[in-house]
Amino acid sequence: GTGGITETDNFDLTQQGVVPSIDVNPKDMYRGPEAGTATYSVSSNVGWSVSDDASWLTSSKTSGTTISVSYTANNSDVERIAYILAKGTGDAYQTVSLHQEAAFISFNAPPNSISAAQGSQNVEVYTNLTQWTVSDDASWLSVSREGDTNLIKLSWEANSSTSSRTVRITVSGTGGITETDYIDLTQEGAAPSIEVNPVKLDVSHKSGSAVFDVNSNVGWSVSSGGAWLSASKTNGSAFSVSYEANSKTTERYADIMATGTGGVSSSARITQAGIPFIDFEPESLNVGYLDGQELISIQSNVNWNVTDDATWLKTNKTGDKLEIYYDGNPVASSRMAHITITGGGIKKSITL
């Protein structure tokens, strides 16, 4: 009371506390097969601790509102799940999960074979890994991952052999992931081929020898088509030809054939000149004192030229004809000129 009244009374009022609670998010977390870390957020009105049920995962309370977990790579062939328990004082608790995929990596529709020609091709890899490598076991092929994509670029050299060859290409996980896959890729052999160089060769009438190169991807043998020469294989890339002297003035030729396995062949022709000759008639001319001209036919198997030693005379080669033009002689005494024909090491004269 008041105003001098001292009478009093009282009562005690108790306010209840909130219900203990804890909330963890996200409730379910999904991760790939590679090792990593994750974070859960915690909202709670009580103190709390954390535990888990997996040997491959470690959970820890990093603050009053955070759970951090780290997990190892999953090398099994099945998904695995870890449960993480946040337990508060009283009866408050929350269980969340982390699902980790099993690793997989494989080739998606890879080729079985490639042509013998040089080339390149992209091949797709089907995987849930972010980090992986590719390798091969052949010097004639190279492989590389195209940036961060799931494509592999294959580049190969031409196969010059008629035999096919095979390379193994392997894709592998990294960072503790041992999952792998491979393909065996076969490169076709080249078609049998053979080529002789040079394909034509001209030689003098004298005896001699020559060497021809052979470019071939098969075994081969050589044969000649003339009795006056012989051919022999000197190594896998050449043959030699020996030929006799030509005793005639007419040229002759023979074909040499290189024949390879698989029905391929290539030939070369060797042409041998005849003995050089220059023939004509007459070898001397007597003409009158008036100007005039003469025409002489030249028989020869060589290229020839003509010269003379007189100012009053002019010579001209026209095909296989020799034209001679001379001036009139103004004096009573005779005069003489020498006309020289040369070619192929031969020298002959006409006196006029």
Side-chain angles (χ1 to χ4, degrees):
T2 62
I5 301 298
T6 59
E7 187 70 20
T8 64
D9 193 15
N10 63 70
F11 66 92
D12 294 326
L13 180 65
T14 301
Q15 185 182 30
Q16 296 179 349
V18 296
V19 177
S21 67
I22 188 168
D23 186 37
V24 182
N25 285 290
K27 301 296 186 286
D28 298 294
M29 190 175 290
Y30 295 87
R31 287 291 184 265
E34 293 155 309
T37 61
T39 301
Y40 294 84
S41 62
V42 180
S43 176
S44 179
N45 59 4
V46 294
W48 56 274
S49 62
V50 64
S51 62
D52 61 76
D53 67 350
S55 61
W56 51 272
L57 179 143
T58 301
S59 60
S60 61
K61 179 179 179 179
T62 54
S63 73
T65 59
T66 305
I67 297 172
S68 295
V69 298
S70 61
Y71 47 89
T72 61
N74 185 3
N75 271 315
S76 69
D77 57 0
V78 295
E79 179 189 75
R80 58 187 181 181
I81 305 173
Y83 293 98
I84 302 155
L85 173 66
K87 182 173 177 56
T89 54
D91 293 329
Y93 70 90
Q94 177 86 70
T95 301
V96 293
S97 65
L98 187 143
H99 301 247
Q100 188 180 30
E101 294 178 321
F104 62 86
I105 187 168
S106 62
F107 290 91
N108 187 17
N112 294 319
S113 63
I114 53 178
S115 68
Q118 179 184 8
S120 62
Q121 182 176 343
N122 283 344
V123 177
E124 186 178 16
V125 175
Y126 180 58
T127 184
N128 60 353
L129 300 175
T130 59
Q131 299 296 320
W132 50 273
T133 61
V134 58
S135 61
D136 67 86
D137 61 0
S139 60
W140 51 270
L141 179 139
S142 63
V143 293
S144 60
R145 183 178 178 183
E146 293 284 80
D148 292 330
T149 71
N150 282 355
L151 293 177
I152 296 172
K153 183 176 183 180
L154 313 180
S155 300
W156 58 88
E157 301 172 0
N159 187 2
S160 59
S161 170
T162 56
S163 300
S164 62
R165 55 188 181 183
T166 301
V167 59
R168 174 163 290 187
I169 303 168
T170 304
V171 286
S172 306
T174 61
I177 300 293
T178 59
E179 187 75 9
T180 64
D181 192 25
Y182 68 85
I183 56 171
D184 290 326
L185 183 63
T186 299
Q187 185 179 31
E188 299 170 352
S193 66
I194 189 168
E195 182 181 10
V196 176
N197 283 298
V199 295
K200 293 181 180 180
L201 181 65
D202 295 326
V203 298
S204 72
H205 69 285
K206 299 178 182 179
S207 62
S209 61
V211 175
F212 292 79
D213 295 325
V214 178
N215 182 15
S216 179
N217 59 5
V218 293
W220 55 275
S221 59
V222 63
S223 59
S224 61
W228 51 276
L229 84 171
S230 61
S232 61
K233 183 176 179 179
T234 54
N235 55 50
S237 60
F239 63 82
S240 61
V241 176
S242 298
Y243 47 89
E244 301 170 359
N246 189 354
S247 60
K248 298 180 179 180
T249 57
T250 54
E251 72 176 19
R252 58 185 179 181
Y253 67 87
D255 292 323
I256 304 105
M257 182 71 70
T259 304
T261 54
V264 293
S265 63
S266 180
S267 64
R269 173 165 291 188
I270 185 166
T271 302
Q272 186 178 37
I275 297 174
F277 75 93
I278 299 175
D279 286 335
F280 51 84
E281 288 184 353
E283 294 185 355
S284 64
L285 292 169
N286 294 304
V287 297
Y289 65 91
L290 299 175
D291 58 349
Q293 67 180 58
E294 296 288 335
L295 185 65
I296 297 177
S297 295
I298 308 294
Q299 290 82 43
S300 177
N301 62 357
V302 296
N303 186 35
W304 54 271
N305 295 296
V306 60
T307 58
D308 62 76
D309 61 359
T311 59
W312 51 271
L313 178 144
K314 183 174 74 172
T315 57
N316 185 49
K317 176 184 177 182
T318 304
D320 61 352
K321 306 295 184 182
L322 172 60
E323 297 174 336
I324 305 171
Y325 301 91
Y326 51 88
D327 299 333
N329 189 354
V331 298
S333 58
S334 63
R335 56 186 179 182
M336 181 179 293
H338 297 92
I339 301 166
T340 304
I341 299 173
T342 57
I346 302 171
K347 182 178 181 180
K348 286 192 171 185
S349 297
I350 300 173
T351 302
L352 185 143

